[in-house]
Structures are given as structure tokens and as C-alpha cells.
Amino acid sequence: MKQFFKYTFLIFCLGTAVSCGGDDDICESGEGTPRMKVRFRNAGGQLRTVDSLYLRVDYGTRVVDFGRTTNADSLLIPLRVDDAAYTDMYFKTRRAETESKVRVNYTTTATYVSPGCGVKKTYQNVNSQLVTPGKVLSVANGQNFIENEDKTNLFLTF
């Protein structure tokens, strides 16, 4: 009888260990809210790499400083996920210079993904305007919706 309980307990433990080996349900395979892709151009319109770039983003409740990025050909920037219709971004290439303010306007759609992921926001009618020029001379819109992070949505001319 003791032998039976030992084997039953062993099978129960092995079954529990095997059944718990699955993947977690936390936003696998890019199901979360996508970020906006920004690329850089020179005055002639060719894509370029920016040696040094400082970025701050206003999320409504606070301004987040993303710090300095070096040798960047593109950036992935999270947009606001509340019900605001825009996100303000501040760019500069040197610490002591005036920031260029870019406002990104959009409409959002929320889609329920899973209990672990929650709600995914997608952005439509994305367009940008240069509010305060500085090192950024102009902005050009790319793809006008954000469903994933593959396509460029904004081009900044330095």
C-alpha cells in the first residue's frame, strides 16, 4: 500500500511539473501597443544617421526624458495610451541647445488582446507638425497609421 502512494505521489509531482512548463500569457509575439518609428533625413532628403540625439516625451502626467542616443538611424517612441489626441516630443542634438517641439496627432482604437496583455492601442490618422523649430528644420509624415513597428511614421529633417 505504501508503494502505491509513493508512485501516485511521484506521478502527481511529475504531472504538475510538466503541465506548468507552458509559455506565459504576457504579450507574446508583439501583441502589445506598437511604438512610433521615426527616421532622420538631411536637407537633401536622403536618410541619415544622427550622431547625438536627446529626446523627451510629454505623456500628459509627466515628461519622460529618454536621454541621449548616439549614432541613431531611427527611434521607436511610445505614444500616449490615454484618450489624448496628441503626443508632444522634444528633440535636440546637444545638451545646451534649444529643443524642437513636434506634436503628433492621431485617433486611437482599443482592442482587447488577452488577460496578460490587456488592451492594445492602434493609432490612425497619424500626422505631425513642427511646433517649435530648432535643429529639426521640418517634419514629413510617413505611414499614417500605427499597427506594428515595421513602417516609418515620421521623418525629421536636420
Side-chain angles (χ1 to χ4, degrees):
M1 191 67 167
K2 280 185 170 183
Q3 201 81 342
F4 175 73
F5 286 121
K6 284 182 182 178
Y7 286 121
T8 304
F9 181 71
L10 181 63
I11 289 172
F12 175 74
C13 289
L14 286 174
T16 302
V18 171
S19 69
C20 293
D23 292 331
D24 290 337
D25 187 26
I26 300 179
C27 292
E28 291 183 3
S29 66
E31 295 172 346
T33 298
R35 298 168 292 180
M36 184 175 86
K37 187 172 185 178
V38 177
R39 301 214 46 200
F40 313 110
R41 292 181 176 168
N42 60 19
Q46 282 95 18
L47 294 175
R48 65 170 283 201
T49 300
V50 178
D51 297 333
S52 176
L53 185 68
Y54 293 86
L55 169 66
R56 293 185 322 123
V57 180
D58 185 354
Y59 288 111
T61 56
R62 65 187 180 121
V63 176
V64 176
D65 187 353
F66 284 90
R68 180 178 179 223
T69 304
T70 57
N71 297 322
D73 67 342
S74 67
L75 288 176
L76 292 171
I77 304 170
L79 298 176
R80 291 174 70 163
V81 292
D82 57 4
D83 292 328
Y86 65 89
T87 300
D88 288 331
M89 300 177 198
Y90 303 91
F91 297 93
K92 61 184 178 178
T93 56
R94 300 287 176 248
R95 183 178 304 271
E97 73 184 14
T98 305
E99 294 177 317
S100 298
K101 179 180 177 182
V102 176
R103 176 166 283 180
V104 180
N105 301 297
Y106 47 77
T107 56
T108 60
T109 303
T111 308
Y112 178 75
V113 177
S114 68
C117 236
V119 176
K120 172 184 179 178
K121 291 274 190 172
T122 54
Y123 303 89
Q124 294 81 30
N125 306 318
V126 177
N127 63 64
S128 304
Q129 59 189 17
L130 182 60
V131 177
T132 307
K135 271 295 192 182
V136 177
L137 304 174
S138 66
V139 296
N141 295 310
Q143 182 171 304
N144 69 345
F145 61 91
I146 305 172
E147 291 179 347
N148 56 42
E149 299 174 352
D150 295 336
K151 303 288 183 175
T152 303
N153 305 102
L154 174 64
F155 294 94
L156 300 178
T157 302
F158 285 91

